[in-house]
Amino acid sequence: MTATFELPEISVLPTAVLDEAHLGDIRGAFGTVRQHDHAPRRNWKQRILTMLAIMGPGLITAVGDNDAGGVSTYSQAGQNYGTSLLWVILLLIPVLIVNQEMVVRLGAVTGVGHARLITERFGKFWGAFSVGDLFLLNFLTIVTEFIGISLAMSYFGVPPYISVPVSAVLLIVMTVTGSFRRWEGFMYLLIIVNLLMVPTLIFLSKPDGGTILHDTLVPGIQGGKLNSDILLLIIAIVGTTVAPWQLFFQQSNVIDKRITPRWIKYEQADTYFGAVITAIGAASLIIATAFTFGGTGMDGQFQDAGTVASGLASLSGPIMGAAFAMFLLNASIIGAAAVTLSTTYAFGDTFKIRHSLHRSWKEAKLFYGIYAALVAVAASIVLIPNAPLGLITVAVQALAGVLLPSATVFLLLLCNDKAVLGPWVNKFWLNVVGSIIVGILVVLSFILAITTMFPEVDVELLSIGLTLALIVGLAITGLMTLINRRKNGVITAVAEPKLDRLNWRMPPLEVLPKPVWSTAQKIAMLTLRGYLVITVIVLVVKVVSMAMGNN
């Protein structure tokens, strides 16, 4: 199936694209769009064919959210708190859409990965931090993916010493083929299998529609009392649904697929569709575990995803257990592939090594070698006896939630950098939404930090206080922004020339003017460093406390 509506080749200005393999035809699993095809799509058939060829990065990134850690976290939410946390999933849909839409523009317009942009625009410290943070968090996440594979295959009677190495080999083989199209085809196959499991899980759990609707639309917590453990789980849900690795992966995958500004609308649609699919998958796991375990002896007794599969089978039959185990297996493989690629893309982009799935093993040995090494080492760790697998999984998702505010801050700054995005910079309303998202994430992290250090604190009162402080802070910031916009609006409108959005791409990084930081911005960045240090230390303390059995 091919979407080709070709016009003669036109000359283009130099761009910042680092790997020449990122230039050329878009070759997706379901079609091709030629590099110099600029013809308008005048009917639905042409638009659908083009969409099929371009879609992929958004859907794969979004479905990758529901990986092993996601399956475990959503199952824990359902088994321990029923459907009372479904509202969190609903609220995360716009968060996912806003964050991922911004990286779509960054990837298509700049042709440069997220880590390298941070290094070039914010300095070596933040560049090293972003790569180091990404490597550590991603590596731990890959470990959780193999935990998921091990638990899923154990349900079918396959021991970890067979399932884990075989899965590692499969992940390497499906990635080093030298064909972006084949890799994407593998991912689509796994996605389709998972989507088929969703109606099975929901139907067999015999859900109550009224309860689901109420808990989706009306925020609440089963038992009515907010405490640090529930907050940790909520942050884990946030961290697995909107994880930092997604920003790096989708931006690089958009670049690797050779998507340019002309096709941004199609990739945006791919991203919106993926966000909805992710929410449906997450909600199905919460619903399935909530209604199956509710009112039984296993209610509130979550251990890990493996015991969830066995429990579902004992209460609702072997088909239910098998469907959950298949969902977990496919989710783990999808997540492992995406998260590992996120890391190797970032290394390739940062250190200027060849980093494209269009390249063969001979052309990109270091890129594929790093990928294979990450997979092999992560798989080996899972085979260590008596590791606290369930706790590791939740801790990784919570760490992702804690680090997400800083990642979103950089994302917002880059998307307001006119030297980087030119005519594609954020609109005012998008900055407002992004600022609210960052504020909420920071508040959640601070609540966790304070309640960990001072367990006797009233969590509800603290939440109200910090929420009011957030509202006041956002209102003051918004007022100051509006005043500045009014002062500068007329000058900007006259001074800035109109740019061709469909053909504008970021010039080479070395010719861009260096950003000038105000004193307020410098203070804000120093504050961000302090925030990261404090919250990560507190999270480690909380996880260690849980591991020792102290709540």
Side-chain angles (χ1 to χ4, degrees):
M1 188 180 297
T2 304
T4 56
F5 312 93
E6 202 166 333
L7 288 182
E9 182 172 338
I10 60 172
S11 60
V12 294
L13 295 173
T15 67
V17 175
L18 297 173
D19 191 328
E20 60 271 22
H22 295 155
L23 298 172
D25 298 342
I26 297 173
R27 298 185 181 277
F30 298 120
T32 299
V33 177
R34 300 298 178 189
Q35 181 178 3
H36 301 295
D37 173 3
H38 298 158
R41 274 47 177 170
R42 301 187 185 279
N43 57 57
W44 281 107
K45 179 181 178 182
Q46 293 175 343
R47 292 168 188 161
I48 291 172
L49 289 174
T50 303
M51 182 67 193
L52 288 172
I54 290 174
M55 71 180 294
L59 181 60
I60 292 169
T61 302
V63 174
D65 290 341
N66 294 344
D67 59 357
V71 173
S72 178
T73 303
Y74 302 138
S75 300
Q76 181 178 2
Q79 185 171 357
N80 289 0
Y81 301 101
T83 56
S84 65
L85 295 179
L86 278 176
W87 58 272
V88 178
I89 304 299
L90 181 64
L91 292 179
L92 286 175
I93 295 176
V95 177
L96 183 59
I97 287 175
V98 168
N99 276 11
Q100 297 309 123
E101 187 279 332
M102 284 192 277
V103 295
V104 166
R105 280 183 285 125
L106 282 173
V109 174
T110 69
V112 175
H114 207 64
R116 185 161 186 80
L117 281 180
I118 291 174
T119 301
E120 293 292 336
R121 305 308 287 170
F122 304 111
K124 292 182 179 179
F125 170 84
W126 286 113
F129 172 83
S130 66
V131 175
D133 163 48
L134 182 73
F135 179 83
L136 174 62
L137 183 57
N138 280 10
F139 179 74
L140 292 174
T141 304
I142 299 164
V143 172
T144 68
E145 310 301 358
F146 280 105
I147 292 173
I149 291 170
S150 172
L151 294 174
M153 293 305 293
S154 293
Y155 175 84
F156 296 110
V158 181
Y161 290 100
I162 295 176
S163 62
V164 171
V166 169
S167 299
V169 172
L170 173 64
L171 279 164
I172 295 171
V173 169
M174 66 183 269
T175 303
V176 302
T177 63
S179 169
F180 186 99
R181 173 173 286 171
R182 278 195 292 269
W183 173 84
E184 194 172 72
F186 280 125
M187 299 299 282
Y188 272 129
L189 179 62
L190 294 169
I191 289 171
I192 290 170
V193 172
N194 255 25
L195 292 179
L196 292 174
M197 298 301 107
V198 169
T200 304
L201 290 169
I202 294 176
F203 177 76
L204 292 178
S205 65
K206 301 176 182 178
D208 177 69
T211 301
I212 293 172
L213 183 62
H214 175 272
D215 290 347
T216 300
L217 301 178
V218 181
I221 296 170
Q222 185 170 286
K225 185 68 175 176
L226 181 65
N227 56 51
S228 60
D229 287 340
I230 297 174
L231 186 64
L232 179 64
L233 181 59
I234 292 175
I235 293 176
I237 292 174
V238 174
T240 191
T241 307
V242 193
W245 69 261
Q246 299 167 222
L247 307 180
F248 293 83
F249 172 76
Q250 187 168 355
Q251 183 166 330
S252 292
N253 203 236
V254 163
I255 295 166
D256 204 8
K257 193 161 184 178
R258 302 164 175 171
I259 295 172
T260 62
R262 183 167 295 277
W263 311 113
I264 279 181
K265 287 187 177 180
Y266 289 92
E267 182 51 32
Q268 287 172 332
D270 175 39
T271 300
Y272 305 153
F273 177 66
V276 173
I277 291 297
T278 296
I280 292 173
S284 72
L285 292 170
I286 293 177
I287 291 168
T289 50
F291 285 100
T292 302
F293 294 122
T296 71
M298 299 184 70
D299 189 2
Q301 302 299 316
F302 174 83
Q303 295 180 35
D304 57 47
T307 57
V308 170
S310 301
L312 292 175
S314 64
L315 295 171
S316 296
I319 295 178
M320 181 70 148
F324 180 87
M326 282 298 298
F327 191 106
L328 175 61
L329 176 62
N330 281 276
S332 301
I333 296 174
I334 294 169
V339 176
T340 310
L341 265 180
S342 170
T343 313
T344 49
Y345 273 145
F347 269 88
D349 205 68
T350 302
F351 299 107
K352 299 182 180 180
I353 64 174
R354 292 177 173 179
H355 55 291
S356 174
L357 294 175
H358 292 285
R359 292 191 177 278
S360 67
W361 170 266
K362 291 182 179 179
E363 294 176 308
K365 291 180 181 178
L366 188 55
F367 170 67
Y368 289 123
I370 294 172
Y371 180 95
L374 284 171
V375 168
V377 175
S380 301
I381 289 176
V382 175
L383 298 178
I384 298 174
N386 302 320
L389 304 183
L391 186 60
I392 291 173
T393 300
V394 175
V396 168
Q397 309 313 315
L399 179 61
V402 165
L403 294 175
L404 185 60
S406 63
T408 307
V409 166
F410 286 123
L411 182 59
L412 280 171
L413 291 173
L414 287 171
C415 286
N416 282 280
D417 190 336
K418 291 186 177 180
V420 171
L421 279 186
W424 291 96
V425 291
N426 276 1
K427 295 179 180 179
F428 178 69
W429 70 267
L430 190 54
N431 286 328
V432 172
V433 174
S435 299
I436 293 173
I437 289 171
V438 172
I440 292 172
L441 293 173
V442 170
V443 165
L444 283 173
S445 299
F446 266 108
I447 294 173
L448 176 63
I450 293 172
T451 53
T452 301
M453 290 185 290
F454 307 102
E456 69 281 0
V457 168
D458 187 321
V459 180
E460 292 184 353
L461 185 61
L462 176 65
S463 301
I464 293 172
L466 288 176
T467 300
L468 290 174
L470 171 63
I471 293 171
V472 172
L474 288 173
I476 293 172
T477 303
L479 182 61
M480 293 175 62
T481 302
L482 283 173
I483 293 172
N484 289 331
R485 279 171 60 85
R486 287 184 178 180
K487 286 182 179 178
N488 301 326
V490 176
I491 298 174
T492 302
V494 173
E496 288 188 352
K498 253 194 167 180
L499 299 174
D500 180 5
R501 282 167 60 88
L502 294 183
N503 293 307
W504 195 92
R505 300 199 77 183
M506 185 181 76
L509 286 165
E510 58 270 16
V511 305
L512 295 184
K514 292 294 181 183
V516 179
W517 286 16
S518 66
T519 301
Q521 286 176 317
K522 291 178 181 178
I523 293 173
M525 297 308 287
L526 287 173
T527 304
L528 180 60
R529 291 189 193 187
Y531 155 80
L532 289 170
V533 171
I534 293 171
T535 51
V536 170
I537 290 175
V538 168
L539 177 62
V540 171
V541 171
K542 179 62 179 175
V543 171
V544 170
S545 175
M546 291 178 67
M548 296 175 65
N550 301 317
N551 295 323

